[in-house]
Amino acid sequence: EAQVTQNPRYLITVTGKKLTVTCSQNMNHEYMSWYRQDPGLGLRQIYYSMNVEVTDKGDVPEGYKVSRKEKRNFPLILESPSPNQTSLYFCASSPPGANQPQHFGDGTRLSIL
Amino acid sequence: AQKITQTQPGMFVQEKEAVTLDCTYDTSDQSYGLFWYKQPSSGEMIFLIYQGSYDEQNATEGRYSLNFQKARKSANLVISASQLGDSAMYFCAMREGWSNNAGNMLTFGGGTRLMVKP
């Protein structure tokens, strides 16, 4: 089954404790992205990657890191999480091309206390 | 300025009636794509329909259709014969640029919560 898998689905942690949210896709897609969803703001892009070892900032990259060492994986790293990073996070992937819809994972709900 | 504006935070519709969800966008690109996604209460994002800026016909997918008015920069989603399962958040999104190297920027509106009444 074609899918984007995120882990964990839920996480409650404390300020400053490094965490990683993993994302893996099995569709051989070149493009992968991370978004955060906050009430009233829709989804905002954090980082994206056009292919292995190619990443770039989205609209809200501060406080986040990513890496793309393999085509299928695109982890999101919070080196020193803060409460304002409490949010619902989505990973997405797609083939290249502006007419290609993005396939989303089921989301990761992060609470930073 | 907002690139994608959804002016209806919440809407009600009677079951079996049609409903239109508004979306206006702002871009100076000639080539762009517009997408609608559905997010039920379970949280996943479900792709519904796509409209390309050069498409001459309005997109349709089953009960979903897009009322695309390029000059007015609007791409309203029409859901015909609403069902209880249509109750969800709906997001309009835009992808600008046409080349494969245009990056992966997808800009979302703030969403409209649709509630279908039995």
Side-chain angles (χ1 to χ4, degrees), chain B residues 96-113:
Chain B
E96 296 172 279
W98 208 250
S99 73
N100 289 345
N101 292 326
N104 202 25
M105 292 293 290
L106 192 63
T107 305
F108 283 81
T112 295
R113 182 170 298 281

Side-chain angles (χ1 to χ4, degrees), chain A residues 31-33 35 37 42-43 45 48 50 59 90 94 96-102 104, chain B residues 35 37 39 43-45 47 50 91 95 97-98 100-101 103-106 108-110:
Chain A
Y31 290 162
M32 296 188 75
S33 294
Y35 296 86
Q37 182 180 11
L43 280 75
Q45 193 169 57
Y48 65 92
M50 289 190 281
D59 290 330
F90 286 98
S94 72
N99 62 340
Q100 297 295 324
Q102 302 205 351
F104 284 81
Chain B
F35 302 82
Y37 286 86
Q39 186 179 41
E44 70 270 29
M45 295 289 288
F47 166 68
Y50 163 81
F91 291 99
R95 195 169 183 178
W98 208 250
N100 289 345
N101 292 326
N104 202 25
M105 292 293 290
L106 192 63
F108 283 81

Side-chain angles (χ1 to χ4, degrees), chain A residues 5 10 12 15 25-26 46 49 57 59 61 73-74 78 84 90 102 106 108-109 112:
Chain A
T5 304
Y10 304 91
I12 301 173
T15 299
Q25 50 96 3
N26 62 1
I46 303 170
S49 169
K57 296 176 180 178
D59 290 330
N73 295 324
F74 191 44
L78 285 71
N84 64 11
F90 286 98
Q102 302 205 351
D106 287 339
T108 295
R109 190 166 292 281
I112 316 293

Side-chain angles (χ1 to χ4, degrees), chain A residues 102 104, chain B residues 36-40 42-49 64 88-91:
Chain A
Q102 302 205 351
F104 284 81
Chain B
W36 277 91
Y37 286 86
K38 172 183 179 181
Q39 186 179 41
S42 49
E44 70 270 29
M45 295 289 288
I46 303 167
F47 166 68
L48 295 178
I49 195 167
Y64 304 108
M89 280 290 285
Y90 288 82
F91 291 99

